[in-house]
């Protein structure tokens, strides 16, 4: 029986999840990735309950596949060490049915890649353009091979060339005013049980326990776009070396890393929502669709939600099986034999655009709060956060952690 073919541009977390979800819907999938091979280094990623539910919907157990760590508590601290807010993960598990977990990003992408047929992944194959003017999209690649498809999933990242080509009047990216440093260090002797983010004045430092005694560390500072330190290890020591324990000890471990193992990136989000998350037979997801600040830990989580909802709404891959959507009916709405894909993509935009833009806007606001530089404003912020009862702070996450739904 012939199968519908989806080409996915990008083998990040969103693209790989889309590939798995479509493969398990019976589609033939080709995932094209610009990089010559899977990444050997990288940062960590937190998977909140909404992302874990989405992965579970396509049969992926992230904790079993990629390893995980569950911190005892999560919260925000001041640079002197005082907790502004703190929540036990047991309380989160009781409220949301499961706790958030933290995994190395490379381990997660490797586990997702392993869930695809080997022939589905094409590294060293950059998608350069999509010709969607004929009966179906044709994907152009840097290698020169054209890939006819029934659907193109644009998971090509924050600078998405496909987004720029199809939405040329969109304002594009917005610089958030901060640089981020990220690294993973080995420190099994430190035994830090809490996932925390510490707020200073215009600077932040995050600590996330991973499996096997490792820690994902990140830091941010308000600087002009393009600012880079010649030695990020020394820069981090200069900025954060006097902050509370265990930050100085973790900085000692950072100094043992090669400079290349410390990622430095300007932080951007999308300046405005896209008018639509699809165009013709191209669907955008993840950073390509709604790049957001990392402040809520939802960038990867929303990409996973996108991928699972998209596959759910599309028809099954076996062409002879009919035009039914994931919701159990013909999404074409034009009678027997109608092409169901266009209406499925319209339903995807309707299901995802408002939710992802809400998260994008909220993440930007939280970032502005955490990056306050004025001492009076920062003191007022800290007082307000400390005065908020933990149960109310946790309730404020309901729309994020309980917000994943498969359209019926």
């Amino acid at each position: 029986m012939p199968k519908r073919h989806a080409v996915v541009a990008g083998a990040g977390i969103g693209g790989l999840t889309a590939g798995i979800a479509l493969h398990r819907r019976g589609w033939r999938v080709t995932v094209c990735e610009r990089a010559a091979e899977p990444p050997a280094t990288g940062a960590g990623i937190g998977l909140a309950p909404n992302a874990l539910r989405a992965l579970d919907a396509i049969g992926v157990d992230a904790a079993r596949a990629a390893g995980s760590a569950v911190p005892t508590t999560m919260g925000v601290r001041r640079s002197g060490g005082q907790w502004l807010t703190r929540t036990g993960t047991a309380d989160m598990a009781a409220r949301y049915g499961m706790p958030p977990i933290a995994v190395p990003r490379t381990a997660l992408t490797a586990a997702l890649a392993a869930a695809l047929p080997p022939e589905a992944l094409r590294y060293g194959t950059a998608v350069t353009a999509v010709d969607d003017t004929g009966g179906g999209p044709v994907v152009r690649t840097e290698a020169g091979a054209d890939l006819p498809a029934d659907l193109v999933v644009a998971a090509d990242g924050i600078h998405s060339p496909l987004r720029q080509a199809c939405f040329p009047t969109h304002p594009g990216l917005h610089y958030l005013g901060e640089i981020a440093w990220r690294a993973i260090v080995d420190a099994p002797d430190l035994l830090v049980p809490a996932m925390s983010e510490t707020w200073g004045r215009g600077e932040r430092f995050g600590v996330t326990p991973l499996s096997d005694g490792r820690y994902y560390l990140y830091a941010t500072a308000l600087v002009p776009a393009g600012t880079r330190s010649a030695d990020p290890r020394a820069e981090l020591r200069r900025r954060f070396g006097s902050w509370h324990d265990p930050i100085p000890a973790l900085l000692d471990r950072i100094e043992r890393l090669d400079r290349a193992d410390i990622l430095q990136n300007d932080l951007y989000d999308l300046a405005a929502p896209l008018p639509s998350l699809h165009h013709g037979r191209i669907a955008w997801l993840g950073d390509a669709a709604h790049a957001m600040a990392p402040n809520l830990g939802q960038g990867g989580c929303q990409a996973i939600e996108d991928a699972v909802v998209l596959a759910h709404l599309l028809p099954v891959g076996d062409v002879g099986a009919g035009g039914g959507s994931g919701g159990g009916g013909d999404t074409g709405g034009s009678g027997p034999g109608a092409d169901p894909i266009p209406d499925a993509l319209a339903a995807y935009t309707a299901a995802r655009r408002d939710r992802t833009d809400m998260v994008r806007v909220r993440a930007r606001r939280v970032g502005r709060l955490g990056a306050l530089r004025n001492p009076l404003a920062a003191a007022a912020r800290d007082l307000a956060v400390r005065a908020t009862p933990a149960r109310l702070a946790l309730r404020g996450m309901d729309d994020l952690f309980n917000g994943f739904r498969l359209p019926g």
Side-chain angles (χ1 to χ4, degrees):
M1 186 176 294
K3 290 180 178 290
R4 295 182 171 93
H5 180 214
V7 175
V8 181
I13 290 170
L16 290 170
T17 303
I20 295 168
L22 287 165
H23 170 67
R24 293 182 178 178
R25 288 281 289 160
W27 285 64
R28 181 167 66 91
V29 176
T30 303
V31 180
C32 297
E33 168 56 42
R34 177 184 300 275
E37 57 188 13
T41 61
I45 182 171
L47 295 176
N50 54 305
L52 295 173
R53 287 195 192 92
L55 289 170
D56 183 66
I58 59 171
V60 174
D61 184 334
R64 176 173 295 182
S68 69
V70 179
T72 57
T73 58
M74 301 174 62
V76 177
R77 307 177 76 171
R78 298 179 66 182
S79 59
Q82 306 94 328
W83 287 95
L84 298 177
T85 181
R86 180 166 39 174
T87 302
T89 49
D91 294 333
M92 298 184 72
R95 187 172 186 88
Y96 301 115
M98 63 189 74
I101 67 172
V103 302
R105 188 177 288 265
T106 53
L108 179 59
T109 54
L112 294 174
L116 285 168
E119 67 274 11
L121 275 166
R122 297 191 185 183
Y123 289 99
T125 306
V127 172
T128 57
V130 175
D131 181 355
D132 198 16
T133 59
V138 176
V139 177
R140 316 291 187 195
T141 68
E142 205 169 64
D146 289 347
L147 300 173
D150 298 286
L151 170 73
V152 177
V153 179
D156 52 343
I158 189 169
H159 298 288
S160 174
L162 295 181
R163 181 186 69 226
Q164 295 174 34
C166 291
F167 300 104
T169 63
H170 186 272
L173 298 177
H174 162 258
Y175 180 52
L176 295 165
E178 294 180 280
I179 186 176
W181 297 270
R182 295 174 293 155
I184 292 179
V185 300
D186 289 306
D189 55 307
L190 295 183
L191 302 176
V192 180
M195 178 188 297
S196 65
E197 181 171 288
T198 301
W199 291 353
R201 297 208 306 262
E203 297 173 331
R204 290 175 286 166
F205 196 100
V207 179
T208 300
L210 299 175
S211 56
D212 302 325
R214 298 193 297 165
Y215 295 87
Y216 166 46
L217 310 178
Y218 63 89
T220 69
L222 293 170
V223 296
T227 301
R228 295 291 182 271
S229 53
D231 187 347
R233 299 165 297 188
E235 180 71 6
L236 290 167
R237 174 69 69 180
R238 181 183 71 82
R239 289 181 177 273
F240 304 102
S242 64
W243 287 25
H244 66 80
D245 292 333
I247 292 174
L250 291 166
L251 291 173
D252 289 341
R253 310 309 165 93
I254 283 182
E255 289 181 353
R256 303 175 190 177
L257 299 177
D258 291 334
R259 295 179 189 180
D261 291 332
I262 304 172
L263 306 178
Q264 301 182 79
N265 302 101
D266 295 333
L267 295 182
Y268 291 87
D269 68 3
L270 212 59
L274 291 179
S276 173
L277 299 187
H278 73 286
H279 184 281
R281 286 175 174 252
I282 307 172
W284 280 263
L285 59 75
D287 282 346
H290 42 70
M292 59 185 66
N295 304 302
L296 296 173
Q298 280 287 313
C301 297
Q302 291 301 310
I304 290 168
E305 285 192 20
D306 289 341
V308 173
V309 170
L310 174 63
H312 174 79
L313 289 168
L314 286 163
V316 296
D318 293 328
V319 177
S325 72
D330 188 333
T331 62
S334 301
D339 180 4
I341 293 177
D343 282 358
L345 295 181
Y348 167 68
T349 286
R352 296 298 301 159
R353 185 175 178 272
D354 288 349
R355 172 164 168 78
T356 55
D357 195 56
M358 176 274 292
V359 180
R360 179 189 67 86
V361 171
R362 186 168 165 185
R364 182 187 289 188
R365 290 173 177 167
V366 170
R368 288 174 176 167
L369 188 68
L372 286 173
R373 179 179 284 167
N374 180 280
L376 293 178
R381 169 202 68 193
D382 293 352
L383 182 62
V385 173
R386 289 190 69 179
T388 302
R391 67 182 185 279
L392 293 182
L394 185 58
R395 188 184 304 169
M397 304 303 287
D398 285 357
D399 57 345
L400 295 179
F401 294 169
N402 279 336
F404 169 72
R405 297 286 187 276
L406 287 176

